[in-house]
Amino acid sequence: MANIRVCVAGATGWAGSALSKGIFQATDLELVAAISRGHAGKILGDVLELPELTTPIFGTVSEALNMNPEVFVEYTKPDSAKFHILSALRGGAHVVVGTSGLSDDDFREIDEAAKEVGRGVLAVGNFALTAVLLQKFSEIAAKYIPHWEIIDYAHSDKKDAPSGTARQLASRLSRVRESELDIPLDETQGPKESRGVRLHGSQIHSVRLPGYVISVDAIFGMPDQKLILRHESGTSAEPYVDGALLAIRNVGSLVGVRRGLDSVMEF
Ligand SMILES: NC(=O)c1ccc[n+]([C@@H]2O[C@H](COP(=O)([O-])OP(=O)(O)OC[C@H]3O[C@@H](n4cnc5c(N)ncnc54)[C@H](OP(=O)(O)O)[C@@H]3O)[C@@H](O)[C@H]2O)c1
């Protein structure tokens, strides 16, 4: 079978550069284009210090699409992500979304656009296997335990909150049910913000401090017992590579938006 032709938007960034190296090493994938405004016109291997990697870097999506990628990976920033995704779909590519910060309304619009052109979009708030499993296990817990809250931890300069990981977890749990609150939020004595944000029927608390990387706790409480599920990543982008490669290999079988890596995994 021919290799899958891939374009990575954000290929020089923290997450995108690790993924680009992973694609380069994969024998069934070919990195045909990279996108970065600051490095446009250069060769990706020169930037990543991997001389064998000869992929050209473009400054815009429209230029990169001239390389006819079958799969476009969006790994830039929340403010440019939707434009990139819609452009890639119109250009005929399937899309893997790693960038966080897109809203449900954004995904509805992207879903319509993807269905119109018969392409798939696989959006994964966190490609790390332990984060994917946390979501799966949390869904099971929510079937049995009606009270839970989510704590989302990240470094202090992360602009979006809650994190993509926490948003996706809340969205997934909403398919099971909404979490129960013994005291309605309106009846909170003191600032209501102290109870966090209610999103997709879950309470989420976002901690942003130097020294933290992305981690998330799903805390399920029952009288006199509790279950704490915690995903914790280290400081490298390594945990995200294998999951993103799996998404790239599977997105071509989809039409419309799918959220969560486990939607293409077997359990
Ligand atoms: N789903 C997951 O598992 C996962 C894992 C890690 C990170 N993320 C998310 O992925 C995104 C990227 O994170 P990061 O830490 O890799 O960021 P980063 O290190 O700042 O890298 C951003 C990359 O995007 C490029 N870029 C930014 N704005 C652009 C634009 N308007 N047009 C074209 N290229 C642009 C940057 O290059 P130039 O500035 O040169 O254009 C750079 O290559 C964030 O939303 C983050 O939360 C998700």
Side-chain angles (χ1 to χ4, degrees):
M1 253 189 4
N3 288 349
I4 301 173
R5 297 168 62 81
V6 185
C7 167
V8 175
T12 59
W14 180 74
S17 58
L19 176 60
S20 296
K21 289 176 184 168
I23 294 171
F24 172 67
Q25 279 160 7
T27 52
D28 58 336
L29 306 176
E30 188 184 352
L31 188 57
V32 295
I35 300 175
S36 148
R37 298 156 305 173
H39 295 283
K42 297 183 191 162
I43 297 299
L44 186 59
D46 293 342
V47 179
L48 303 189
E49 297 178 357
L50 196 63
E52 301 89 346
L53 179 57
T54 55
T55 308
I57 303 177
F58 301 94
T60 63
V61 182
S62 58
E63 292 168 289
L65 288 173
N66 287 332
M67 300 303 289
N68 296 320
E70 295 160 79
V71 176
F72 181 96
V73 181
E74 167 47 46
Y75 240 158
T76 63
K77 292 285 164 194
D79 51 5
S80 46
K82 188 165 83 172
F83 172 73
H84 288 173
I85 296 164
L86 294 174
S87 305
L89 288 170
R90 281 193 287 269
H94 299 279
V95 181
V96 170
V97 184
T99 311
S100 55
L102 289 168
S103 68
D104 288 333
D105 283 344
D106 290 331
F107 278 118
R108 267 189 286 277
E109 187 181 337
I110 292 167
D111 186 49
E112 277 176 26
K115 285 176 176 157
E116 266 172 33
V117 294
R119 291 291 182 274
V121 176
L122 186 49
V124 181
N126 192 323
F127 287 111
L129 184 62
T130 55
V132 174
L133 291 175
L134 176 133
Q135 301 204 348
K136 196 76 189 165
F137 297 156
S138 295
E139 277 184 343
I140 298 169
K143 286 182 186 162
Y144 295 95
I145 307 173
H147 291 77
W148 69 81
E149 303 208 0
I150 297 169
I151 308 181
D152 146 44
Y153 304 87
H155 42 90
S156 56
D157 57 353
K158 183 171 175 58
K159 282 189 178 164
D160 57 305
S163 67
T165 312
R167 280 172 192 267
Q168 195 170 323
L169 176 59
S171 167
R172 294 285 301 267
L173 291 178
S174 70
R175 291 193 226 155
V176 181
R177 59 167 120 182
E178 298 202 342
S179 75
E180 284 181 22
L181 296 167
D182 286 346
I183 306 289
L185 296 175
D186 287 348
E187 293 174 25
T188 302
Q189 290 181 2
K192 292 181 187 30
E193 293 78 9
S194 55
R195 297 290 293 113
V197 66
R198 186 138 188 100
L199 196 68
H200 302 301
S202 288
Q203 290 305 122
I204 308 182
H205 310 264
S206 291
V207 178
R208 295 288 179 266
L209 282 173
Y212 277 84
V213 283
I214 300 285
S215 4
V216 67
D217 290 345
I219 307 176
F220 293 83
M222 298 182 88
D224 217 19
Q225 56 180 322
K226 52 189 169 300
L227 171 68
I228 303 172
L229 297 170
R230 178 171 175 80
H231 153 73
E232 204 171 303
S233 56
T235 51
S236 85
E238 205 51 45
Y240 309 115
V241 174
D242 286 347
L245 294 178
L246 185 68
I248 291 168
R249 292 185 176 112
N250 284 280
V251 68
S253 63
L254 307 177
V255 175
V257 171
R258 282 273 197 88
R259 294 175 77 175
L261 190 65
D262 56 334
S263 63
V264 295
M265 287 168 72
E266 281 180 25
F267 285 96

PDB file of all heavy atoms in Angstrom, residues 2 5 103 105 112 151 187 204 221 236 250-251:
ATOM      1  N   ALA A   2       0.365   2.301  -0.691  1.00  0.00           N
ATOM      2  CA  ALA A   2       1.142   3.545  -0.734  1.00  0.00           C
ATOM      3  C   ALA A   2       1.134   4.208   0.636  1.00  0.00           C
ATOM      4  O   ALA A   2       0.192   4.050   1.413  1.00  0.00           O
ATOM      5  CB  ALA A   2       0.515   4.475  -1.772  1.00  0.00           C
ATOM      6  N   ARG A   5       0.104  10.375   2.816  1.00  0.00           N
ATOM      7  CA  ARG A   5       0.779  11.677   2.697  1.00  0.00           C
ATOM      8  C   ARG A   5       0.244  12.629   3.771  1.00  0.00           C
ATOM      9  O   ARG A   5      -0.972  12.865   3.826  1.00  0.00           O
ATOM     10  CB  ARG A   5       0.536  12.271   1.306  1.00  0.00           C
ATOM     11  CG  ARG A   5       1.113  11.419   0.177  1.00  0.00           C
ATOM     12  CD  ARG A   5       0.591  11.888  -1.179  1.00  0.00           C
ATOM     13  NE  ARG A   5       0.974  13.257  -1.481  1.00  0.00           N
ATOM     14  CZ  ARG A   5       2.156  13.615  -1.962  1.00  0.00           C
ATOM     15  NH1 ARG A   5       3.071  12.684  -2.218  1.00  0.00           N
ATOM     16  NH2 ARG A   5       2.418  14.881  -2.217  1.00  0.00           N
ATOM     17  N   SER A 103     -14.399  25.299  20.395  1.00  0.00           N
ATOM     18  CA  SER A 103     -15.658  25.134  21.135  1.00  0.00           C
ATOM     19  C   SER A 103     -16.545  24.084  20.465  1.00  0.00           C
ATOM     20  O   SER A 103     -16.283  23.662  19.334  1.00  0.00           O
ATOM     21  CB  SER A 103     -16.411  26.468  21.177  1.00  0.00           C
ATOM     22  OG  SER A 103     -16.842  26.790  19.872  1.00  0.00           O
ATOM     23  N   ASP A 105     -19.438  24.708  19.307  1.00  0.00           N
ATOM     24  CA  ASP A 105     -19.986  25.361  18.098  1.00  0.00           C
ATOM     25  C   ASP A 105     -18.991  25.240  16.945  1.00  0.00           C
ATOM     26  O   ASP A 105     -19.376  24.986  15.800  1.00  0.00           O
ATOM     27  CB  ASP A 105     -20.272  26.845  18.373  1.00  0.00           C
ATOM     28  CG  ASP A 105     -21.551  27.005  19.175  1.00  0.00           C
ATOM     29  OD1 ASP A 105     -22.325  26.026  19.240  1.00  0.00           O
ATOM     30  OD2 ASP A 105     -21.758  28.094  19.743  1.00  0.00           O
ATOM     31  N   GLU A 112     -20.215  19.914   9.840  1.00  0.00           N
ATOM     32  CA  GLU A 112     -21.007  20.170   8.618  1.00  0.00           C
ATOM     33  C   GLU A 112     -20.095  20.257   7.396  1.00  0.00           C
ATOM     34  O   GLU A 112     -20.371  19.655   6.355  1.00  0.00           O
ATOM     35  CB  GLU A 112     -21.764  21.496   8.753  1.00  0.00           C
ATOM     36  CG  GLU A 112     -23.067  21.352   9.522  1.00  0.00           C
ATOM     37  CD  GLU A 112     -23.734  22.694   9.732  1.00  0.00           C
ATOM     38  OE1 GLU A 112     -23.495  23.615   8.925  1.00  0.00           O
ATOM     39  OE2 GLU A 112     -24.471  22.802  10.734  1.00  0.00           O
ATOM     40  N   ILE A 151     -10.539  18.197  37.996  1.00  0.00           N
ATOM     41  CA  ILE A 151      -9.503  19.215  38.231  1.00  0.00           C
ATOM     42  C   ILE A 151      -8.493  19.137  37.092  1.00  0.00           C
ATOM     43  O   ILE A 151      -7.988  18.059  36.762  1.00  0.00           O
ATOM     44  CB  ILE A 151      -8.773  19.021  39.577  1.00  0.00           C
ATOM     45  CG1 ILE A 151      -9.789  18.902  40.717  1.00  0.00           C
ATOM     46  CG2 ILE A 151      -7.853  20.215  39.838  1.00  0.00           C
ATOM     47  CD1 ILE A 151      -9.161  18.742  42.086  1.00  0.00           C
ATOM     48  N   GLU A 187     -27.166  28.370  45.026  1.00  0.00           N
ATOM     49  CA  GLU A 187     -27.317  28.453  46.486  1.00  0.00           C
ATOM     50  C   GLU A 187     -25.961  28.434  47.207  1.00  0.00           C
ATOM     51  O   GLU A 187     -25.894  28.319  48.430  1.00  0.00           O
ATOM     52  CB  GLU A 187     -28.197  27.293  46.979  1.00  0.00           C
ATOM     53  CG  GLU A 187     -29.631  27.430  46.498  1.00  0.00           C
ATOM     54  CD  GLU A 187     -30.495  26.229  46.851  1.00  0.00           C
ATOM     55  OE1 GLU A 187     -30.174  25.527  47.833  1.00  0.00           O
ATOM     56  OE2 GLU A 187     -31.471  25.984  46.122  1.00  0.00           O
ATOM     57  N   ILE A 204     -15.682  21.848  36.584  1.00  0.00           N
ATOM     58  CA  ILE A 204     -14.249  21.776  36.255  1.00  0.00           C
ATOM     59  C   ILE A 204     -13.512  22.919  36.937  1.00  0.00           C
ATOM     60  O   ILE A 204     -13.959  24.074  36.893  1.00  0.00           O
ATOM     61  CB  ILE A 204     -13.999  21.873  34.737  1.00  0.00           C
ATOM     62  CG1 ILE A 204     -14.853  20.867  33.967  1.00  0.00           C
ATOM     63  CG2 ILE A 204     -12.519  21.662  34.431  1.00  0.00           C
ATOM     64  CD1 ILE A 204     -14.619  20.886  32.459  1.00  0.00           C
ATOM     65  N   GLY A 221     -17.164  10.742  43.939  1.00  0.00           N
ATOM     66  CA  GLY A 221     -17.382  10.610  45.377  1.00  0.00           C
ATOM     67  C   GLY A 221     -18.703   9.930  45.700  1.00  0.00           C
ATOM     68  O   GLY A 221     -19.736  10.216  45.084  1.00  0.00           O
ATOM     69  N   SER A 236       8.081  15.985  28.338  1.00  0.00           N
ATOM     70  CA  SER A 236       8.347  15.879  26.903  1.00  0.00           C
ATOM     71  C   SER A 236       7.031  15.682  26.144  1.00  0.00           C
ATOM     72  O   SER A 236       5.996  15.364  26.730  1.00  0.00           O
ATOM     73  CB  SER A 236       9.278  14.687  26.613  1.00  0.00           C
ATOM     74  OG  SER A 236       8.528  13.492  26.492  1.00  0.00           O
ATOM     75  N   ASN A 250      -5.976   6.306  11.013  1.00  0.00           N
ATOM     76  CA  ASN A 250      -7.387   5.902  11.033  1.00  0.00           C
ATOM     77  C   ASN A 250      -8.377   6.955  10.550  1.00  0.00           C
ATOM     78  O   ASN A 250      -9.528   6.623  10.277  1.00  0.00           O
ATOM     79  CB  ASN A 250      -7.781   5.466  12.455  1.00  0.00           C
ATOM     80  CG  ASN A 250      -7.238   4.090  12.778  1.00  0.00           C
ATOM     81  OD1 ASN A 250      -7.807   3.084  12.375  1.00  0.00           O
ATOM     82  ND2 ASN A 250      -6.105   4.052  13.464  1.00  0.00           N
ATOM     83  N   VAL A 251      -7.967   8.212  10.480  1.00  0.00           N
ATOM     84  CA  VAL A 251      -8.934   9.268  10.177  1.00  0.00           C
ATOM     85  C   VAL A 251      -9.541   9.111   8.778  1.00  0.00           C
ATOM     86  O   VAL A 251     -10.680   9.524   8.529  1.00  0.00           O
ATOM     87  CB  VAL A 251      -8.296  10.675  10.367  1.00  0.00           C
ATOM     88  CG1 VAL A 251      -7.227  10.949   9.319  1.00  0.00           C
ATOM     89  CG2 VAL A 251      -9.360  11.751  10.357  1.00  0.00           C
TER      90      VAL A 251
END
